[in-house]
Amino acid sequence: MRRDDISLYLGPADRARLETVLTDRNTPRKVVWRAEIILATADGYGTNAIMRRAKTSKPTVWRWQSRYLDEGVAGLLRDKTRPSRVPPLPRETRLTVIAKTVQEAPPNATHWSRSMMAEAVGISPSSVGRICAEAGLKPHVSRGFKVSNDPLFEEKVTEIVGLYLDPPDRAVVLCVDEKSQIQALDRTQPGLPLKKGRAATMTHDYKRHGTTTLFAALDVKSGMVIGNCMPRHRAREFLTFLRRIDRAVRKPRDIHLVLDNYATHKTPEVQAWLEKHPRFKLHFTPTSASWLNLVERFFAEITAKRIRKGSYTSVSDLEDAIYDYLAQHNIRPKPFVWIKSADDILTRERRALDALDGIRGNR
């Protein structure tokens, strides 16, 4: 195989870049000898001399000379994409994996794993993983849901969301609920502190020292929280908390309370007290729709930030921690911003009901 030596002009920018490649200690060896081939060619060396300098074959010298002429320095820094030695899976096999994942369940499990699907279809587990990833399927993941069956769902959602998005003037909108049965848990052994390369530790076992219930009222406008810890969450305790709210909100401002359908919120004693205090106006969330009450978001935050990882030797110790969190929160309160309109919520609710009806109809 013969080929005449070629003459190559190397611009200053390309020469500087190739020389940098040669001097960089992190440059892969194969890229180094590619740069040596081009630099030697530009310096007037013949093919045989370049072969000796780069310690490579004649076709290799010609290949990288041609690659530089076609693509410049960038062509030397990467390998050309070559077709895989493994033939791609047939389209029918891919569709089979997707169909079985979506429509069927394995005989001995609730969902498919990669290994079970691979055995059923006759391909490798990694192939199953790639097919599911490309199709956006995650059979090992599930999400909880609950569609409310409250006949007044639309009216209640419209009413409460209206309070969030357009609260009435000269009135206070409070989201009220109880976080019941908060346990004062004391870890059996002290955990190790956080350090580089190691997370903080805590024992999985604990000692119970009793429970408390946090009554909380979140002001929608300001984000401030009125809170009170009580041993139980009966109508008697709820009335005590209502009186606390009555004292905290100056008169004659109206008070709109967003509540769930817990029985203690509707007892005759509570109804009688509300009749004597007409500035209290109650708005009940739909059944199975506690997410509509903004105070639930506050409960999630106090649980994650103050309660869950704590260790408490008594109920009073736990309550002190809760009151301290409330005090710190109210120094710099930040309201939760409700962004979904009632129409958006009702549209999604109708779509969920239609999907459920379709599933029931296919059974």
Side-chain angles (χ1 to χ4, degrees):
M1 184 175 182
R2 296 182 56 83
R3 170 174 165 175
D4 295 334
D5 295 333
I6 65 172
S7 298
L8 183 66
Y9 171 73
L10 195 62
D14 283 359
R15 179 178 287 276
R17 189 175 179 187
L18 290 175
E19 290 175 348
T20 301
V21 167
L22 290 179
T23 57
D24 188 349
R25 297 177 59 185
N26 294 322
T27 303
R29 179 60 190 155
K30 61 183 179 181
V31 177
V32 170
W33 57 253
R34 293 171 192 173
E36 290 175 345
I37 290 173
I38 302 306
L39 288 170
T41 304
D43 291 339
Y45 288 90
T47 301
N48 291 328
I50 296 173
M51 290 166 52
R52 291 191 295 269
R53 289 170 62 93
K55 298 180 182 179
T56 187
S57 64
K58 186 179 295 184
T60 301
V61 173
W62 293 342
R63 181 189 308 122
W64 291 106
Q65 288 173 341
S66 299
R67 178 76 69 85
Y68 174 77
L69 291 173
D70 293 338
E71 303 181 25
V73 175
L76 307 177
L77 302 180
R78 61 176 177 80
D79 296 332
K80 275 196 171 182
T81 303
R82 296 177 176 84
S84 174
R85 293 176 295 177
V86 180
L89 291 173
R91 183 172 181 271
E92 292 75 13
T93 302
R94 301 168 64 85
L95 293 178
T96 300
V97 172
I98 294 173
K100 290 178 75 67
T101 301
V102 175
Q103 301 173 3
E104 303 178 17
N108 61 341
T110 58
H111 61 277
W112 292 99
S113 67
R114 297 201 317 171
S115 58
M116 286 191 294
M117 181 63 74
E119 183 178 355
V121 180
I123 59 178
S124 67
S126 58
S127 296
V128 174
R130 284 193 296 270
I131 293 172
C132 289
E134 292 171 0
L137 301 177
K138 298 179 179 179
H140 61 288
V141 176
S142 63
R143 293 176 57 188
F145 82 101
K146 177 66 175 180
V147 179
S148 175
N149 57 4
D150 194 319
L152 300 178
F153 181 83
E154 295 190 6
E155 291 85 346
K156 291 179 179 179
V157 166
T158 302
E159 179 181 340
I160 293 174
V161 173
L163 288 174
Y164 291 161
L165 298 180
D166 187 20
D169 294 333
R170 300 186 61 79
V172 177
V173 179
L174 300 178
C175 296
V176 177
D177 202 359
E178 305 94 14
K179 184 173 178 60
S180 61
Q181 299 296 308
I182 309 174
Q183 298 188 76
L185 303 180
D186 185 16
R187 302 294 162 178
T188 58
Q189 297 173 356
L192 297 175
L194 176 71
K195 64 178 294 186
K196 182 179 180 181
R198 186 190 69 198
T201 65
M202 57 191 300
T203 60
H204 66 277
D205 54 342
Y206 45 80
K207 298 178 182 178
R208 294 186 178 94
H209 294 288
T211 62
T212 188
T213 295
L214 171 62
F215 287 76
L218 171 70
D219 187 349
V220 172
K221 288 184 179 180
S222 68
M224 294 189 68
V225 177
I226 302 170
N228 198 10
C229 290
M230 302 184 197
R232 301 178 67 178
H233 56 292
R234 301 168 297 180
R236 182 185 307 173
E237 285 78 16
F238 182 59
L239 278 173
T240 301
F241 190 59
L242 288 179
R243 296 187 185 99
R244 166 84 184 277
I245 294 174
D246 189 36
R247 293 192 300 269
V249 180
R250 64 177 182 270
K251 299 177 180 180
R253 302 179 71 183
D254 287 341
I255 303 174
H256 294 264
L257 300 184
V258 178
L259 298 162
D260 62 16
N261 292 275
Y262 190 49
T264 57
H265 300 161
K266 303 178 180 180
T267 61
E269 295 83 1
V270 172
Q271 296 295 329
W273 189 88
L274 291 173
E275 288 179 1
K276 298 178 182 178
H277 297 78
R279 71 177 184 140
F280 280 79
K281 307 182 187 306
L282 274 57
H283 309 269
F284 292 100
T285 60
T287 305
S288 304
S290 60
W291 48 266
L292 196 57
N293 196 333
L294 277 178
V295 75
E296 296 291 347
R297 187 69 196 87
F298 172 77
F299 285 155
E301 286 207 350
I302 192 174
T303 301
K305 295 180 179 179
R306 193 65 183 88
I307 297 175
R308 180 177 294 134
K309 293 185 178 182
S311 182
Y312 310 101
T313 57
S314 64
V315 172
S316 60
D317 187 20
L318 170 62
E319 291 180 347
D320 289 344
I322 292 173
Y323 286 131
D324 178 69
Y325 182 87
L326 290 172
Q328 296 296 328
H329 172 86
N330 289 334
I331 292 175
R332 298 179 60 185
K334 185 177 180 180
F336 300 107
V337 180
W338 189 274
I339 59 175
K340 286 288 185 180
S341 67
D343 290 339
D344 292 336
I345 297 172
L346 296 178
T347 299
R348 298 186 66 175
E349 189 258 353
R350 295 187 192 102
R351 187 165 62 240
L353 289 176
D354 291 341
L356 289 175
D357 291 340
I359 294 173
R360 295 190 185 104
N362 293 329
R363 289 181 177 177

